[in-house]
């Protein structure tokens, strides 16, 4: 069994439902910021691209809530 890899300060997006995340991946201008799907409603955001992703989400009519740990 391989050891899990722990990443620090990994930007993640969580949406309300699977359809929303599917739509974000279907849009090439949004999908470029998403590196990996973590589950039906979560994805890893490319390092340093959160502001660009948030701007894109606002342009698409989403109202993101940002939480920082």
């Amino acid at each position: 069994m391989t050891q899990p890899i722990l990443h620090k300060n990994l930007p993640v997006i969580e949406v309300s439902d699977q359809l929303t995340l599917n739509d974000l991946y279907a849009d090439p201008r949004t999908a470029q910021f998403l590196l990996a799907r973590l589950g039906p409603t979560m994805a890893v955001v490319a390092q340093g691209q959160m502001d660009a992703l948030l701007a894109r989400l606002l342009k698409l009519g989403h109202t993101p809530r940002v939480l920082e740990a």
Side-chain angles (χ1 to χ4, degrees), residues 3-68:
Q3 292 291 329
I5 299 172
L6 177 65
H7 297 276
K8 292 183 180 182
N9 300 319
L10 186 66
V12 174
I13 183 173
E14 182 177 14
V15 297
S16 58
D17 58 67
Q18 184 173 354
L19 183 58
T20 300
L21 192 55
N22 291 346
D23 289 345
L24 295 179
Y25 269 104
D27 175 26
R29 289 171 44 190
T30 306
Q32 68 180 332
F33 304 121
L34 305 175
L35 295 182
R37 195 173 197 136
L38 298 176
T41 60
M42 294 180 72
V44 176
V45 179
Q47 195 71 26
Q49 297 300 311
M50 186 59 84
D51 289 340
L53 175 59
L54 291 174
R56 180 70 184 146
L57 292 175
L58 289 170
K59 187 170 185 139
L60 292 173
H62 296 282
T63 53
R65 180 176 63 151
V66 177
L67 303 174
E68 294 188 25

